[in-house]
């Protein structure tokens, strides 16, 4: 049969091979619940050989069709998982036929997009998360840490805590998890307080430093640093614009193209439901990844994001960095971006509640700037 199959493939056109694959897959899916493992193995050989001889679009369709089949051919699923990301994503995110060893192998062999797809699985075991948090970049680590179905070993959690030392957003994601033990949580809060102390030591008014540390919220320094930008005129402009009609993406484009930083920040804050401090940090942080995440979650286009990125300064707008940003933006899956934005909003809400309590204790002298 295999010899006949090889001969048929050699003589067939690309469309004919695709038709063969579709018919064989239809036959498998029709009978899958009743097939023995030996019969599934036979389909594995046939489908795998046909899949190797067809174009990417047909393999993408195959991956989608097999992703949720409980007894899908293992060899085919493994092969699809190692394929280009458009083909691999369905099986990486949903297939139960991929073992922990299979997922670890993909995470070690492939790049960010494959690891992001793995991070979206409903459940992730410790061996898999160990690799993802050690090998993944910032976006991968945030996505894994934000997955409520992910489980972490002691080593994995220690790695996350170490990476959180220099990543405020990650600290906030971890404090939202139910499986972070109290001792680890105390360590994260101690790191956060020390970070706040270091940043504010030279510029916080007398007495406010101890107050900020007492509150113990992450990012509070953005609310009390003296000499910050005055957003009141920009807020009035955005308020007047929104009184006439809902804000749209073109408003962002216009403000950014005109180099109107404050108006652009206020519009981002309003459209993404963030505080002004959070929106400003999207432009001021060392890298642009969170700005890319918010833009993808809000479904803003690359041309709009490109002019917004230029507001980060000439160095950030260097051609090679813009090319890298565009590639990252286009590959970033909306679902992943929405998850990260959700945790960003949750962090902001927590900060605001703590700030209001603190302001009440001090007679309302420290107030966050809100839209």
């Amino acid at each position: 049969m295999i010899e006949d199959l090889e001969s048929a493939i050699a003589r067939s056109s690309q469309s004919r091979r695709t038709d063969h694959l579709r018919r064989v897959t239809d036959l498998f899916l029709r009978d899958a619940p009743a097939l023995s493992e030996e019969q599934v193995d036979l389909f594995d050989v046939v489908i795998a050989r046909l899949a190797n001889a067809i174009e990417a679009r047909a393999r993408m369709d195959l991956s989608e069709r097999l992703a949720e089949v409980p007894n899908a051919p293992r060899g085919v699923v493994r092969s699809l998982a190692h394929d280009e990301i458009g083909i691999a994503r369905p099986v990486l995110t949903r297939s139960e036929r991929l073992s922990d060893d299979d997922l670890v192998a993909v995470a070690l062999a492939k790049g960010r997009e494959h690891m992001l797809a793995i991070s979206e699985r409903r459940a992730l075991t410790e061996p898999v998360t160990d690799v993802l948090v050690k090998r993944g970049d910032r976006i991968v680590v945030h996505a894994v840490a934000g997955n409520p179905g992910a489980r972490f070993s002691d080593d994995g959690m220690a790695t996350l805590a170490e990476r959180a030392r220099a990543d405020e957003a990650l600290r906030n994601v971890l404090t939202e998890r139910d499986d972070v033990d109290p001792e680890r949580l105390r360590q994260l809060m101690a790191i956060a307080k020390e970070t706040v102390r270091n940043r504010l030591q030279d510029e916080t008014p007398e007495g406010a430093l101890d107050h900020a540390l007492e509150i113990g919220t992450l990012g509070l320094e953005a609310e009390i640093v003296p000499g910050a930008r005055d957003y009141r005129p920009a807020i009035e402009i955005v308020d007047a614009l929104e009184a006439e009609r809902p804000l749209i993406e073109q408003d962002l484009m216009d403000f950014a193209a005109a180099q109107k930083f404050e108006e652009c920040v206020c519009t981002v804050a309003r459209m993404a439901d963030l505080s002004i401090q959070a929106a400003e940090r999207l432009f001021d942080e060392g890298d642009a990844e969170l700005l890319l995440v918010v833009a993808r979650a809000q479904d803003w286009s690359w041309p709009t994001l490109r002019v917004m990125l230029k507001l980060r300064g000439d160095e950030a707008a260097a051609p090679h960095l813009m090319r890298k940003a565009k590639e990252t933006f286009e590959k970033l899956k909306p679902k992943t971006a929405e998850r990260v934005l959700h945790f960003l909003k949750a962090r902001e809400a927590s900060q605001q509640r703590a700030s209001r309590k603190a302001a009440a204790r001090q007679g309302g002298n420290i107030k966050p700037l809100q839209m």
Side-chain angles (χ1 to χ4, degrees):
M1 186 200 69
I2 297 300
E3 291 177 357
D4 290 344
L5 177 63
E6 294 284 356
S7 177
I9 290 174
R11 295 194 306 267
S12 298
S13 65
Q14 186 70 242
S15 62
R16 188 66 174 164
R17 294 169 192 164
T18 301
D19 183 60
H20 285 324
L21 175 64
R22 186 177 296 110
R23 290 165 59 191
V24 172
T25 306
D26 287 342
L27 179 62
F28 169 77
L29 293 175
R30 187 194 71 185
D31 297 334
L35 294 177
S36 67
E37 279 299 317
E38 282 188 348
Q39 291 169 323
V40 172
D41 289 343
L42 179 58
F43 274 102
D44 200 352
V45 173
V46 175
I47 293 176
R49 187 62 190 90
L50 287 169
N52 287 335
I54 59 173
E55 60 184 7
R57 186 179 300 275
R59 295 201 305 279
M60 193 178 303
D61 178 67
L62 177 65
S63 180
E64 189 64 47
R65 299 185 74 188
L66 294 180
E68 297 185 21
V69 179
N71 63 336
R74 290 184 186 275
V76 172
V77 173
R78 288 193 192 102
S79 177
L80 293 171
H82 283 269
D83 213 319
E84 59 186 79
I85 187 58
I87 298 167
R89 181 175 284 115
V91 294
L92 287 177
T93 57
R94 306 199 301 275
S95 179
E96 298 177 3
R97 292 293 263 180
L98 291 172
S99 67
D100 287 351
D101 288 343
D102 294 331
L103 295 171
V104 167
V106 172
L108 291 173
K110 311 300 284 189
R112 170 199 276 177
E113 298 307 315
H114 286 71
M115 287 189 281
L116 275 176
I118 294 172
S119 77
E120 295 174 16
R121 292 177 70 88
R122 193 162 37 200
L124 291 170
T125 61
E126 295 175 357
V128 179
T129 57
D130 278 351
V131 175
L132 293 177
V133 300
K134 290 176 182 177
R135 189 170 184 271
D137 63 10
R138 188 185 185 203
I139 289 181
V140 171
V141 170
H142 278 235
V144 177
N147 184 341
R151 294 295 171 259
F152 300 94
S153 67
D154 289 341
D155 286 345
M157 191 60 74
T159 301
L160 284 174
E162 184 61 30
R163 296 188 70 153
R165 287 182 178 276
D167 190 333
E168 177 183 346
L170 180 57
R171 289 197 298 271
N172 282 278
V173 171
L174 292 176
T175 57
E176 294 286 335
R177 293 190 62 90
D178 296 332
D179 56 350
V180 179
D181 66 78
E183 179 58 31
R184 188 79 67 188
L185 191 58
R186 284 192 291 272
Q187 293 174 4
L188 291 171
M189 295 307 298
I191 293 169
K193 290 183 179 182
E194 185 60 27
T195 301
V196 173
R197 182 184 296 277
N198 291 339
R199 291 180 182 175
L200 298 181
Q201 192 69 57
D202 297 329
E203 50 188 336
T204 304
E206 186 176 355
L209 175 59
D210 291 337
H211 169 58
L213 294 175
E214 176 189 347
I215 295 172
T217 55
L218 305 176
L220 183 62
E221 63 274 20
E223 299 171 2
I224 60 180
V225 172
R229 295 181 179 93
D230 184 2
Y231 283 96
R232 286 171 295 185
I235 291 174
E236 292 179 2
I237 292 172
V238 173
D239 281 344
L241 184 61
E242 193 171 29
E244 297 177 0
R245 55 166 175 77
L247 296 172
I248 59 176
E249 183 180 336
Q250 186 62 45
D251 298 322
L252 278 176
M253 170 77 84
D254 293 342
F255 286 137
Q259 296 288 303
K260 293 183 177 180
F261 182 87
E262 288 80 7
E263 287 84 350
C264 186
V265 168
C266 290
T267 305
V268 169
R270 187 67 60 84
M271 294 181 73
D273 192 25
L274 296 169
S275 71
I276 289 180
Q277 288 84 6
E280 183 184 80
R281 288 196 290 273
L282 298 177
F283 293 88
D284 288 345
E285 285 194 353
D287 58 60
E289 286 180 344
L290 282 181
L291 181 57
L292 269 60
V293 165
V294 171
R296 175 57 79 192
Q298 295 297 120
D299 198 27
W300 296 333
S301 66
W302 167 250
T304 298
L305 177 59
R306 181 171 56 82
V307 293
M308 291 168 64
L309 288 170
K310 291 182 178 180
L311 292 179
R312 292 169 53 82
D314 293 338
E315 183 176 345
H320 71 285
L321 292 178
M322 295 295 275
R323 286 193 298 271
K324 181 179 179 182
K326 183 179 181 183
E327 180 181 352
T328 299
F329 175 72
E330 291 177 343
K331 290 181 178 180
L332 186 59
K333 196 171 183 182
K335 183 178 178 181
T336 302
E338 289 165 7
R339 180 186 297 164
V340 176
L341 180 58
H342 167 76
F343 282 105
L344 181 61
K345 289 181 179 180
R347 180 190 69 176
E348 290 301 313
S350 175
Q351 292 173 0
Q352 290 168 15
R353 288 193 298 270
S355 299
R356 285 193 292 269
K357 292 179 182 178
R361 289 200 299 269
Q362 291 207 352
N365 292 326
I366 300 177
K367 297 180 180 180
L369 182 60
Q370 300 295 327
M371 287 285 289

